[in-house]
Amino acid sequence: MRLTVLNSFSRFELNVVTCPKMSAAGPVWPRLQVLRALWALLAVLLAPWRLWAIEDIQKCSWQVALNKFQTIGKNLGRDRFFYQEPLGTVDSLFSQPVDSRFDLNKEYLIFPYFLKINYSCEGESSEALVRKGYLTGLKPMVLVTFQSPVNFHHWKIEQLQIQMEGVPFRSKAEPCNAEVCVMSWYTPMPIKNGSVVMYVDISSNGLGPFIPNQRFQVNINGFLQRTRDDTLQFTVGNELYELIPRYFVNAPSRPLWYTEEQAPVLILGGIPEKKLILLTDTSFKDFFLVELSIDSCWVSSFHCSQASFTATIYDAIATESTLFIRQNQLVYYFTGTYITLHEGNHSSGSWVRVLANECIKKLCPVHFHSNGSEYIMALTTGKHEGYVHFGTITDGRVSFELLPRRWSVCEGIQDIQLPVASAEVVICSITWATFIADNYSLLLLVEIEDSKKYFQVVSYDLVSDYLAILYTIPEFIPDARGLEFLTILGTESYTNHPMVPTGMSYNPYNNLLFIWGNFLLSSYNTENYIYLAGFPKEQSIKYLVNSFHGDVAIVTETEEIWYLVEGSYQVHKLFPSKGWEVYISLQVMHQSSLHAPNETMVTLFYEDSKLYQLVYLMKYKKSQLVKRLVPVEQLLIYEKLNNDYLLERQGGHLTLSFTNFCPFTVMRLRDLPNPQIYTRQELYRAPPPHVLDPSGLHNEDSLAVYQGLLYYLLWLHSQYDEPYADSVRDSTWRWWKNKKQDQDYYFYLASNGRGTGNMHIDMASYEKIYDLKAKYELPKRIFLDKGTSYSFSIFLTARGHSYQAEPGREGTTYQLRSQVDLGVVLADPNCIKVVVKEKVFVNYNSLLFWVTLSDKRFCFDQGISGHHLMKTSILVKVVGSTGHCFQDTHQGPRMQGNLMVPVLIGCPPGKRLAFDTTYTLEYNRLKNKQYFDCVHVDPEIPCFFFRDIFYPFFLIQDLVTGDSSSFQGSYVLKVVGGGPTLDTIREYSEEEIYRFNSPLDKWLCLENSPCHDTVPQSFFAPEFFFKVLVSNRGVDKSTYCDYQLIFLLHIHGLPLSAKRALFILRVSVTVSVSVVILYISCCLLLPLTVKACNILRWKINNIITSESYYTHTSPSKVFSSPSGTKSGSNLSVSSHGISMVAKEKAAASEEALKKLT
């Protein structure tokens, strides 16, 4: 047997040498036996030779488990994500290093969970692998993506990511004397307010073994509660721990319904005769079987007849915080506990029955949220047949509205089709309902039966309450006559098989509507339909799964799986098929644990644009429920090998050749712009602290410090909404700005082992990343503002020589044209446009296409950043490549030739308007030739002098890319509040705002203005704080963004009012005159007052002296009475002496008085 593979041609040839004839029974190598014998070998030959080496690489995968802070290193399995608030502070750890760079006045909290990261390879122990990886330099890089919340009225819409690193930590579960024993990597699991869905991407740093990147969902489970013994249990019911085979064996599969990218917990019903659901918060990486705590009552009445009762949960829908189920005709909902989402406990506490007086026959999901809410629809039967209960979920609060409001759909259709005079009762029923958020309308699939049975597509506008019939589905299936598709015009022929539609599916990105049943119709405008003839009319579609990125999977009533690429018309059968048989045979050869001879599919769903199955495997020892990937590309390749072959006899042997219908051999994307400006992803880098231990292993303190750093980083990010523009547009700048100059000093201490605290933090490594580079693939989605564009190029190498000469425009020259064509499909050509330029490289047999997608500037009104975005898309496809072109990668083949990119038109998230204080102050100083600052300077709020002309300037700051540019558009400036001090600022009423802001001279602080007659708070001139609103709503045509900025304008030097000035003048004059009069009076009366005081004092002294003299002389007079004359002479002398002394004192007093005067 000889094999020949020709890589440079479009055909693979297999030459088989036959043996001589043996008998008339037939050749030794019949055609069918040749194919079966060489099937596996042909599958291997399809891969290029350069990828064979990949098969030799050991297959490894990451393993992630959630652990509480108290259980790190104990190997106790995984914890459930229940706690949503920080545990406490770790300020004591931050205050230990004396050379700390931290602001010790701040509070550093820790999150309740860590991520434990390991990896495993086939046939090796995980513990040994982790040690080997650590010693060879392997380090897991962890990227956490926070999903934006539904209610953008409550939370800011942003696309936030944090890049972290796993740190090695020694296990404490088992004693070990070695330096490195059992170990794992740990990284904090941060929590962000408003986000309950988190994606964790694990990648390698490029050292150690090759481990492919993996994504994990780590979501908050708000349907748990803590018991008295500190264990967790479900609030929706009781957990069961045994998967009994009868729950799944031979049970039909059911759809998995939830709000796309918003539901943290998914539920799946359909378990026969049991009120059980499968519940998961990791997208079925693991799951729980829960018996619901509902009453399970059976209500049957004249208007709501129920033939039999069953406990089966038929419909189950998950939203961001609320779960919905339908059992029989009853509908229940349960709102979980999500404190980070609602800033409070909005939990319902138990299952709540709604629409109690209604008979609900079906719940219809709404896959996308809009206007800050989620939606659900309930179809009724009985007394309200022909109505839809339209449910709205906002912050966990559920409300229903009966639609249409005036009359039922049946009455509306009857009123449209029949004249009022000849109207008759029409029996009709709503089979399916789809909500289109862009125009706020319902698409209804209505079954009508009068003289015959037929179906119609009806539109109902929720705003105008208008009902319209869009399309009447043909009664019978068209006869396609061997074509892949058929445009239904009404002139085609039909078969005898009736069309029985059972549901609808709508993709809001490309406006593609599918109507499915025992057929498949597609439409881009809900009026013109295309019949896809590749789906057999003998089958009936049970449900349809849409990836909303260009892929559709179909499940029939017989559990067949079909596949369709949106924009194409060929439907591929995946299971059962020849390709599936080959794939299963190869899996059995590899002894795969994800397959078994007997298995039952539970559901089929898309995750990150990949198709997955939830399958119940019935094995000999133990049955299990597993989630596995459906290899769509691999199955299509195997199917092509079964169909696209040719067996020819050349000479004495048979030649088996395969034709490759792919029009190109190489397809590459080039000239991709930096993604952040279009994806709006804000990215922070937060590496762990460097431990100074020689082993490099971390401990609990360093992990706690890492937690505190992440918490404070998120806190800084949330607080970065000041109305004044910073000189550095990075929230981390405020963290280290006071000690940035000491960075080299701290690094010197740590590198020489002199740092304290046994750890070192590189302050420069905590930063916001603005310059991410493209990874040679188109982004998951792009945002376009008014008039902006997105450009890239596609390089194609044609298969074979496919050029032909065509006459030029003038007819005298010829130009080369390739057979490889590039097509572009726009979902909304009235809103976006595309320009494609082609360049031919003849020497390389290649082509280069430049594709530029632009907004047309008039399809969207102004909106707040991230709010009310219009969904559309662009599909770039190489003609003839669908289902034929594949690229081999280390993760398996990948389909090529179809590039579908969702586009969101409007004001992108992460843009804001800021007051440019720096340039405003400079320009005002230049124009006014002066600048007088306030007496008491506030660095956060600039101050302006009242008599100077105010020239404000504003900046448009892009928080994602870090760009900042002057706002050149038009805007309206209004004063919406104010006060003389920061504590007395008040909001003005609508009437006051209108009155104060028209005319503008009110802000000259004249009469009737708020700043008129401001009372000075100190000796200095009056001040006033204006609360100013700046908005470009309705006046700016340069952007879709509705910028609204409110900032404080500090004005000093306000003039006084005339009355208050006159009053102050009167008081001042009165006080001044009084002071002058008092001064003059004091000057005139002072001498007389002094003289009078001296006389009075002299008299008082005389009186005191006289009294003292008589007190001392009275005893001598009594004792000298016997001596007669002698005594008298002595008395006279004494009197004369006293009088002389008194005269001398009087003369001295007069002399002193004269000196004073």
Side-chain angles (χ1 to χ4, degrees), residues 749-763:
L749 293 178
S751 60
N752 287 274
R754 296 180 178 273
T756 58
N758 200 31
M759 69 186 73
H760 168 72
I761 296 176
D762 184 8
M763 62 182 68

Side-chain angles (χ1 to χ4, degrees), residues 45-64:
L45 288 175
L46 187 65
W49 64 270
R50 61 181 178 271
L51 289 177
W52 288 357
I54 295 180
E55 299 297 331
D56 297 332
I57 298 177
Q58 193 174 21
K59 293 183 179 180
C60 302
S61 61
W62 295 105
Q63 297 176 347
V64 172

Side-chain angles (χ1 to χ4, degrees), residues 90-150:
V90 287
D91 297 341
S92 58
L93 297 178
F94 281 84
S95 60
Q96 287 180 5
V98 297
D99 59 345
S100 176
R101 278 75 60 198
F102 312 108
D103 187 354
L104 299 181
N105 295 324
K106 303 299 182 180
E107 191 175 34
Y108 296 87
L109 304 180
I110 58 174
F111 298 109
Y113 296 103
F114 280 85
L115 289 176
K116 178 184 177 182
I117 304 171
N118 290 328
Y119 77 95
S120 62
C121 301
E122 294 181 353
E124 291 194 31
S125 171
S126 178
E127 298 177 358
L129 287 172
V130 172
R131 286 196 300 267
K132 177 182 176 181
Y134 171 66
L135 295 176
T136 55
L138 176 63
K139 185 185 301 182
M141 311 300 293
V142 182
L143 180 66
V144 177
T145 303
F146 299 95
Q147 182 64 38
S148 297
V150 169

Side-chain angles (χ1 to χ4, degrees), residues 475-479 493-500 518 537-538:
E475 187 177 357
F476 297 98
I477 295 178
D479 186 3
S493 59
Y494 293 88
T495 65
N496 295 326
H497 289 78
M499 271 191 165
V500 184
N518 61 340
K537 55 183 175 295
E538 295 80 14

Side-chain angles (χ1 to χ4, degrees), residues 211-332:
I211 309 175
N213 301 346
Q214 282 185 255
R215 164 166 283 198
F216 301 86
Q217 282 197 32
V218 184
N219 303 331
I220 298 177
N221 194 332
F223 301 94
L224 296 169
Q225 64 181 0
R226 186 170 57 181
T227 60
R228 294 181 179 179
D229 56 353
D230 204 25
T231 59
L232 296 179
Q233 67 179 18
F234 285 101
T235 56
V236 296
N238 300 319
E239 181 181 357
L240 304 182
Y241 298 95
E242 184 178 2
L243 297 178
I244 301 177
R246 61 186 175 88
Y247 292 163
F248 305 100
V249 176
N250 298 326
S253 67
R254 47 275 195 194
L256 181 64
W257 288 338
Y258 56 93
T259 306
E260 289 288 329
E261 299 181 342
Q262 301 295 147
V265 173
L266 306 181
I267 58 174
L268 188 65
I271 299 178
E273 302 301 329
K274 296 291 181 180
K275 53 180 181 180
L276 301 176
I277 62 171
L278 290 173
L279 185 146
T280 177
D281 52 19
T282 59
S283 188
F284 288 103
K285 197 78 174 179
D286 53 21
F287 50 86
F288 309 96
L289 184 64
V290 181
E291 183 180 16
L292 302 182
S293 55
I294 55 178
D295 47 14
S296 299
C297 58
W298 178 25
V299 179
S300 181
S301 64
F302 177 76
H303 297 286
C304 182
S305 59
Q306 187 78 15
S308 61
F309 168 77
T310 176
T312 306
I313 306 298
Y314 283 108
D315 300 328
I317 301 176
T319 64
E320 187 179 41
S321 60
T322 306
L323 306 178
F324 290 87
I325 61 169
R326 179 182 69 89
Q327 184 191 51
N328 299 311
Q329 77 275 22
L330 308 179
V331 177
Y332 301 85

Side-chain angles (χ1 to χ4, degrees), residues 118 180 198 540 663 702 733 756 768 874 910 1004 1099:
N118 290 328
V180 179
M198 281 82 75
S540 180
S702 61
W733 172 72
T756 58
K768 196 172 185 179
I874 176 176
L1004 296 176
K1099 290 184 178 181

